[in-house]
Amino acid sequence: MTIADLWDQRISAFQLSPAQFLATTTSESFLAELLHELRNDKANDQLKILLVSVLLDHPTILCPSTSVGEETALELLSVFSHTPQKSISLKCNVMLAITNVIICTSCLATHTKMAEDWLDLLFQTIQDTNDYRCGLSQQPIRATACDCLREMETCCPGLLSQKLESLHLLKQQETTVLHQSYCMLYTLGLKNAIRILTKQKDVTDLEFKSILGGNEGFAWKSNQLGLTLLPINMMVQVPRLPPGLDCKELKSIMASLLEESYLLTPISQSALLRELVEVVAMVPGLSPTLFKSQLLRLFGTAEVELMHATLFMKETFTDSLFTAEDENFLLKRLVSTAQHPLLGTPEKLFYMDCILHFPENRPISSSGEESLPVLVTPRLAASLLPTVFNDSATMLCRLNLLCLVHLEADEGEADKGIDYLFNHIMALLKIVDSDSSREVVVTSFRAVFIFLTHFSGMEELSEKLIDKLCDMYSRHSRLAPNLIGLTDRIQECLGDHVWSVKLLRGLQKCIMEMPPLHLTIHNLSWHLKVLKRVAKEGPITQRNTIYLLLNVLINSNLCERGNWQVGNAVLAVCRNLLEHPSIDQVFIELADLLQYISVHYDDTDIKDHARFYYTLLTNLSWEKLTGVLAKGPDGGRAKERSHSAIMAEGEGIASNLTVRKTERHVLRLVKVQEKPSQSTLETSESLEATGETKKSLEVYQEQFQMPGFGSEVTLRYNLTHADETDVLFDRVFTICLHFELKDSNYAKVSDIHVPCVFRDRKPPEVNVKLKPFQPYPTTVCVSAIFTTQDGRSWHSQLPDVSVSFPEIFLPLPLPLNTSRACKEEVFDRIWETAASGSPDKSAISLFCFKAGDESLADLIETHFQGYLITDQQSERSWKVLFFLPPMCHVLLAITQAEDAVQVSIATDNWELLPFVNSYLQDITDHCSTTVTDG
């Protein structure tokens, strides 16, 4: 596998999950590798572009601070400077990466030296107009420089406000295809510069002209204004310059930009027009009629971007720019385009939305409610009538538009149009009768909903629609969820229960009249869902529902079969009946039903719930009964504790017996500080120094090959309360700790159960056992489910637990009483194996630092005491061995020389070296360190 393939795999893994990738390394190390490979002259351009893409996509992950961002930008600038002129694509990508890093790491916002130098370089690059100096081949470099400057001006508005004269001159001089880039850069700078002026008081002609003729440095302080886009439809909030300023020069510039606009691409034209519209809105001395010459071209455009800019222009200036004839023509244009056969569905939907929200010159309603423009008449919209041949999105959009049209039309035209729309709805429902596809069903019910939101008050049509829906349900009981959803949404939207109650009453009657043969187990489940919803409506009498349920249970084998789902669905209906306002009228019938279920249903859980409901019914008034069964606003139990925790249906159990979630941390795991003890093999044999070295090695190697040997790391924590918690949680019981790993380097951690945690008692100790697949640092997400004294269950997130690299260290696992000579022999053998082993696994390295005799002795005693193999203080040398499960070793040979302490490192897993290096740097951070890799 080539180096390029390896990098491709690594970068793909990083892009897929940066957090998981960085669990096996550090961001600093990975960034250093990227920059090192970018400086490699042997690497090809394609590989380097791949490396740069990481900094384009995730700059803040690899450069978490401004200082790191500045250093990285300097490194990239060095790469850019040494890249050959022929590598155009690479140079462009590096330029984008430098700009991205400078912006995202706040180097631009804090005005660092690197940001200033980079701006100067970009500006020098764009000054080579028409490629006189560098030639045509370097044109993409200038285009990228313009894009970088635009991005920096966007993120730091006003940065170019003192260079407008230079930018205007460059724009005038540029005659290549890059004229568009220069034009867009200048226009953005002009708009932001004028916006800055609107923040000042008493702007004079001299200040106004000085902005247009500025040719100074970059305006670093302008980004403190926090500029935002102009409001689109609230012109009273647009900041404006004072009237009376001399705008001749600005007017000339605007006219020039508009004359050149047709040379730009549609997207650039749209962006340019929006910038210029905002400029005119801020300057009272400029008239919107500047855009008059562009209207004819814009009215005939087939580009979505330009039409959007035109409508933005119309909403901003209304009749100051658009006459009544212009308005009428533009609306007709939108109608014809919305049905153009060559356009795709997204474009048609866009034009339909433009018609619905067309910005009128004189809108009748200024409220935020959806209302149709006055000019959209039935005659104009006749070509947009929905048909069954339209795709779902187009048909629903047309239906909504035409409903609004005929809602506001004259009586004669309205009746004809509404009849057409109603017949269209009926045709859709007829298709549902013969087509069982989910898309057809969903689309048809959405169409019914749209029609009813506008015409539910038309009694004759509403009755016909109810009859049709009930007739359909009699043949297709699977439509129950759609019908229930329709009634719920209609009630939410209209706030009127009349139509929904009529439909539910009709469905109840439909179920009552069904032949017994149609009441199969499958169909009955749908009917019970409908009856459950019917039981929520107070105006509907429920006696027939109870009779039906009792007859079904008595005259079938449902009770003998004891199906829990069916019994649960029956009790769901009963629960809603308990809350019905007219329960007194059906008291005896409901009591008989519940008693029959509690005696005859062959399921203990269903019997218990039925008996409980029977007890409530016969012992509580209706007011108290509804209070007991009341649900809270979130669908859970009401604030007062009640028997409503016991629910009949599965959904009720899920919503009412829920585990509550705490708003903040209640518990936390605190690491218990402990010194490492000698790890031993489970054997009783004593190995002496004489003649037993070989036996020691054999025992160690035999155990090392055993599956699961040394596979676990046990970490000790105290489970204690967080700093600030509610007194409700001072005593918690039956705690279940659940662990989730953020990477795949460790096996799943088993849940840990703790009996109780009291704030006023010693915290219990918890042993967390980790089984590494790879011995890398990790982070463990911890959550807990526990019970408080009031019997409620809670779920709480604990602060994440970080497992550092040294916490994975274990001493060398050897038999008890192994002699020092044996340990040294084992150390030497492992060192020789690491030094002469496979080069893709083993590695040798060197770490140096300065330390005095006393500080070195303290360091070894503090950090290495449990892992020492030899301690030859007279010779100023030590040997340390870390065992890292499942089967890795890190060996340190420490020697104190005259000028520094040398730590020779050997390991049988080279990927551990960055972590070893970081660990040694951490424990010697008070010393000056030098690292040399072997």
Side-chain angles (χ1 to χ4, degrees):
M1 185 178 290
T2 63
I3 295 179
D5 293 334
L6 289 172
W7 272 110
D8 185 53
Q9 288 184 0
R10 295 187 70 191
I11 291 177
S12 296
F14 176 81
Q15 299 278 23
L16 183 64
S17 177
Q20 184 172 349
F21 179 86
L22 292 178
T24 62
T25 183
T26 61
S27 59
E28 296 85 354
S29 176
F30 185 51
L31 177 61
E33 292 180 64
L34 284 176
L35 297 175
H36 176 76
E37 191 65 27
L38 282 171
R39 292 189 295 267
N40 185 3
D41 295 335
K42 296 181 179 179
N44 58 45
D45 289 359
Q46 200 62 35
L47 173 59
K48 292 185 177 181
I49 291 174
L50 179 65
L51 299 174
V52 169
S53 68
V54 178
L55 290 168
L56 288 172
D57 295 336
H58 303 283
T60 54
I61 294 179
L62 297 182
C63 307
S65 65
T66 302
S67 59
V68 176
E70 188 172 13
E71 292 174 3
T72 303
L74 284 169
E75 291 285 348
L76 292 173
L77 182 59
S78 174
V79 172
F80 175 77
S81 303
H82 292 87
T83 300
Q85 293 295 327
K86 63 179 181 179
S87 301
I88 300 298
S89 181
L90 175 58
K91 291 178 78 73
C92 291
N93 277 274
V94 173
M95 291 173 68
L96 294 173
I98 295 173
T99 305
N100 198 36
V101 169
I102 287 176
I103 293 174
C104 295
T105 59
S106 301
C107 291
L108 183 65
T110 55
H111 187 188
T112 61
K113 181 67 165 57
M114 176 61 208
E116 186 175 354
D117 293 343
W118 181 241
L119 269 173
D120 290 336
L121 181 59
L122 291 176
F123 207 81
Q124 291 174 15
T125 303
I126 68 171
Q127 287 178 324
D128 181 27
T129 54
N130 301 312
D131 307 303
Y132 287 139
R133 187 172 67 248
C134 297
L136 185 62
S137 62
Q138 301 299 305
Q139 194 175 89
I141 302 293
R142 286 198 299 129
T144 305
C146 288
D147 291 339
C148 292
L149 286 171
R150 278 189 66 200
E151 190 68 22
M152 298 175 87
E153 171 66 19
T154 301
C155 297
C156 184
L159 190 64
L160 302 176
S161 60
Q162 297 177 2
K163 286 187 171 292
L164 291 183
E165 184 179 19
S166 299
L167 289 174
H168 186 263
L169 181 61
L170 293 173
K171 179 185 76 71
Q172 295 292 91
Q173 292 174 348
E174 185 63 39
T175 59
T176 69
V177 293
L178 294 190
H179 180 81
Q180 172 174 282
S181 299
Y182 283 81
C183 187
M184 297 302 299
L185 179 61
Y186 173 73
T187 307
L188 178 63
L190 175 65
K191 184 202 74 173
N192 288 341
I194 293 176
R195 182 67 185 273
I196 292 172
L197 275 184
T198 62
K199 298 289 183 179
Q200 301 180 15
K201 295 183 179 179
D202 303 325
V203 179
T204 63
D205 283 332
L206 182 61
E207 291 174 322
F208 187 54
K209 291 181 179 180
S210 66
I211 284 291
L212 299 177
N215 193 13
E216 303 173 10
F218 297 103
W220 289 100
K221 295 183 180 181
S222 61
N223 62 340
Q224 299 174 359
L225 295 175
L227 302 181
T228 57
L229 291 177
L230 291 177
I232 293 178
N233 58 353
M234 301 180 67
M235 294 302 295
V236 293
Q237 295 183 1
V238 175
R240 295 169 67 86
L241 291 174
L245 294 176
D246 185 2
C247 300
K248 291 181 180 179
E249 185 177 355
L250 179 58
K251 188 180 296 184
S252 174
I253 292 171
M254 296 282 292
S256 173
L257 290 170
L258 287 172
E259 287 176 4
E260 300 168 357
S261 64
Y262 76 94
L263 298 172
L264 278 57
T265 63
I267 294 178
S268 296
Q269 284 187 58
S270 176
L272 175 70
L273 289 172
R274 292 180 70 92
E275 307 282 10
L276 297 182
V277 166
E278 294 182 16
V279 170
V280 173
M282 289 187 291
V283 182
L286 294 179
S287 171
T289 55
L290 279 170
F291 299 99
K292 198 70 176 178
S293 61
Q294 305 294 319
L295 291 186
L296 183 60
R297 178 171 64 90
L298 294 174
F299 283 173
T301 184
E303 303 291 342
V304 170
E305 302 88 352
L306 292 180
M307 181 57 70
H308 197 276
T310 305
L311 293 173
F312 174 75
M313 192 185 303
K314 187 178 188 312
E315 184 163 20
T316 304
F317 298 128
T318 62
D319 57 358
S320 299
L321 177 59
F322 293 81
T323 64
E325 291 77 12
D326 293 335
E327 186 177 51
N328 196 26
F329 179 82
L330 182 56
L331 194 53
K332 288 181 179 179
R333 173 70 177 166
L334 290 173
V335 171
S336 63
T337 311
Q339 52 187 316
H340 199 286
L342 296 182
L343 292 180
T345 299
E347 289 83 2
K348 291 180 181 179
L349 293 177
F350 166 75
Y351 287 114
M352 291 286 293
D353 198 60
C354 290
I355 297 170
L356 188 59
H357 302 93
F358 185 76
E360 297 178 279
N361 286 348
R362 292 286 184 267
I364 295 178
S365 174
S366 59
S367 65
E369 297 180 0
E370 189 176 73
S371 59
L372 199 68
V374 176
L375 293 176
V376 183
T377 61
R379 183 183 297 273
L380 179 65
S383 59
L384 295 176
L385 286 168
T387 70
V388 295
F389 301 107
N390 297 134
D391 61 88
S392 298
T394 302
M395 187 273 290
L396 293 174
C397 190
R398 287 190 176 192
L399 177 64
N400 184 51
L401 178 64
L402 269 295
C403 285
L404 288 170
V405 169
H406 293 293
L407 192 64
E408 303 293 338
D410 296 335
E411 187 173 346
E413 290 182 329
D415 292 342
K416 187 183 298 185
I418 294 172
D419 287 342
Y420 176 89
L421 296 177
F422 181 77
N423 291 333
H424 174 71
I425 297 295
M426 300 300 282
L428 290 175
L429 295 179
K430 189 174 181 180
I431 294 174
V432 172
D433 257 342
S434 57
D435 188 345
S436 59
S437 69
R438 182 180 182 276
E439 182 183 2
V440 172
V441 174
V442 171
T443 301
S444 300
F445 274 87
R446 286 178 177 175
V448 172
F449 172 76
I450 291 172
F451 183 84
L452 288 172
T453 55
H454 299 293
F455 304 115
S456 61
M458 302 185 70
E459 189 172 344
E460 182 181 355
L461 297 181
S462 296
E463 294 289 347
K464 290 182 179 179
L465 199 51
I466 289 173
D467 293 342
K468 179 63 177 177
L469 291 173
C470 291
D471 181 57
M472 289 173 55
Y473 179 75
S474 66
R475 293 187 298 275
H476 307 287
S477 58
R478 60 182 172 80
L479 296 177
N482 304 92
L483 290 164
I484 294 171
L486 177 63
T487 58
D488 291 342
R489 301 294 83 76
I490 287 294
Q491 287 185 357
E492 289 176 7
C493 181
L494 300 181
D496 184 5
H497 291 213
V498 175
W499 188 88
S500 297
V501 168
K502 288 182 179 179
L503 174 61
L504 291 171
R505 187 181 284 118
L507 292 173
Q508 183 194 41
K509 181 181 178 182
C510 177
I511 295 172
M512 298 301 129
E513 296 174 352
M514 281 186 179
L517 293 177
H518 288 187
L519 296 177
T520 62
I521 290 292
H522 176 71
N523 289 340
L524 183 61
S525 63
W526 296 123
H527 298 330
L528 291 173
K529 285 183 178 293
V530 173
L531 293 175
K532 170 192 165 187
R533 180 63 183 84
V534 170
K536 289 184 178 181
E537 296 299 333
I540 303 178
T541 180
Q542 302 296 323
R543 181 172 277 105
N544 290 338
T545 297
I546 299 174
Y547 285 156
L548 174 68
L549 294 178
L550 197 54
N551 288 334
V552 168
L553 292 174
I554 293 174
N555 299 317
S556 69
N557 63 346
L558 285 178
C559 290
E560 289 79 6
R561 295 175 65 175
N563 187 293
W564 185 88
Q565 285 82 6
V566 175
N568 198 48
V570 173
L571 286 178
V573 180
C574 295
R575 185 195 180 284
N576 286 350
L577 290 172
L578 289 172
E579 297 184 83
H580 199 274
S582 62
I583 189 174
D584 291 341
Q585 301 174 13
V586 293
F587 178 87
I588 296 176
E589 292 86 349
L590 183 56
D592 289 344
L593 174 61
L594 290 171
Q595 191 174 38
Y596 186 87
I597 297 173
S598 65
V599 173
H600 295 93
Y601 208 90
D602 194 12
D603 184 274
T604 304
D605 183 60
I606 300 301
K607 283 183 177 181
D608 289 344
H609 282 86
R611 193 175 297 112
F612 172 67
Y613 284 159
Y614 179 82
T615 303
L616 293 178
L617 176 66
T618 55
N619 289 276
L620 296 178
S621 65
W622 180 77
E623 291 77 10
K624 291 183 178 179
L625 187 59
T626 54
V628 168
L629 298 176
K631 290 185 179 182
D634 59 348
R637 287 181 292 178
K639 290 183 180 179
E640 65 275 4
R641 299 197 68 227
S642 66
H643 294 291
S644 60
I646 306 177
M647 296 298 298
E649 53 181 328
E651 308 98 73
I653 294 174
S655 62
N656 287 273
L657 290 180
T658 54
V659 177
R660 290 164 173 77
K661 191 170 185 178
T662 62
E663 295 181 356
R664 53 185 175 180
H665 301 310
V666 172
L667 303 171
R668 60 175 178 169
L669 289 175
V670 179
K671 185 73 172 67
V672 177
Q673 299 297 329
E674 54 181 343
K675 292 185 178 180
S677 58
Q678 177 64 41
S679 176
T680 60
L681 297 174
E682 295 181 358
T683 177
S684 59
E685 55 185 316
S686 176
L687 299 177
E688 301 298 333
T690 308
E692 296 295 333
T693 300
K694 182 177 180 182
K695 187 172 183 181
S696 176
L697 281 169
E698 290 175 352
V699 171
Y700 179 71
Q701 291 172 352
E702 180 181 353
Q703 295 286 335
F704 188 81
Q705 299 299 325
M706 291 178 61
F709 168 73
S711 60
E712 285 188 348
V713 176
T714 301
L715 302 178
R716 295 171 57 198
Y717 296 92
N718 284 333
L719 180 61
T720 182
H721 282 83
D723 293 336
E724 297 181 4
T725 58
D726 195 298
V727 293
L728 172 67
F729 305 113
D730 282 355
R731 294 191 170 197
V732 295
F733 305 87
T734 59
I735 304 103
C736 176
L737 296 176
H738 181 69
F739 303 87
E740 290 286 345
L741 293 159
K742 289 188 175 182
D743 52 58
S744 57
N745 295 321
Y746 289 79
K748 182 179 179 180
V749 182
S750 302
D751 292 349
I752 297 177
H753 299 272
V754 180
C756 59
V757 176
F758 294 171
R759 184 181 291 277
D760 55 353
R761 294 186 186 178
K762 182 180 178 181
E765 187 175 286
V766 174
N767 292 328
V768 181
K769 295 185 178 181
L770 298 179
K771 183 176 181 180
F773 298 135
Q774 296 291 341
Y776 301 140
T778 189
T779 300
V780 184
C781 299
V782 189
S783 60
I785 294 179
F786 55 82
T787 305
T788 49
Q789 282 184 296
D790 58 3
R792 297 182 180 182
S793 296
W794 295 85
H795 176 274
S796 177
Q797 200 70 32
L798 278 67
D800 291 350
V801 174
S802 296
V803 180
S804 63
F805 186 57
E807 288 182 285
I808 314 171
F809 295 168
L810 292 176
L812 182 65
L814 282 175
L816 291 170
N817 301 323
T818 301
S819 66
R820 184 176 298 277
C822 293
K823 293 180 182 179
E824 288 188 44
E825 182 66 21
V826 173
F827 180 93
D828 294 339
R829 292 289 183 88
I830 297 176
W831 187 286
E832 291 173 4
T833 303
S836 61
S838 176
D840 59 343
K841 293 182 180 180
S842 304
I844 302 294
S845 184
L846 179 66
F847 181 92
C848 300
F849 66 97
K850 293 182 179 180
D853 293 344
E854 294 182 1
S855 61
L856 178 59
D858 292 340
L859 184 144
I860 290 176
E861 182 178 357
T862 302
H863 298 283
F864 301 146
Q865 186 64 40
Y867 313 101
L868 281 174
I869 301 299
T870 62
D871 182 1
Q872 300 176 356
Q873 294 192 20
S874 58
E875 300 179 8
R876 310 307 294 165
S877 66
W878 297 263
K879 291 181 180 180
V880 179
L881 192 153
F882 300 124
F883 174 73
L884 290 85
M887 52 182 66
C888 295
H889 302 82
V890 174
L891 293 80
L892 307 180
I894 305 172
T895 305
Q896 186 175 24
E898 294 181 1
D899 56 344
V901 178
Q902 297 181 357
V903 182
S904 299
I905 306 168
T907 179
D908 45 15
N909 185 351
W910 66 267
E911 293 183 351
L912 297 178
L913 283 179
F915 301 109
V916 176
N917 182 60
S918 298
Y919 168 64
L920 293 176
Q921 285 181 332
D922 288 341
I923 64 176
T924 61
D925 58 357
H926 61 284
C927 305
S928 175
T929 62
T930 303
V931 183
T932 305
D933 291 332

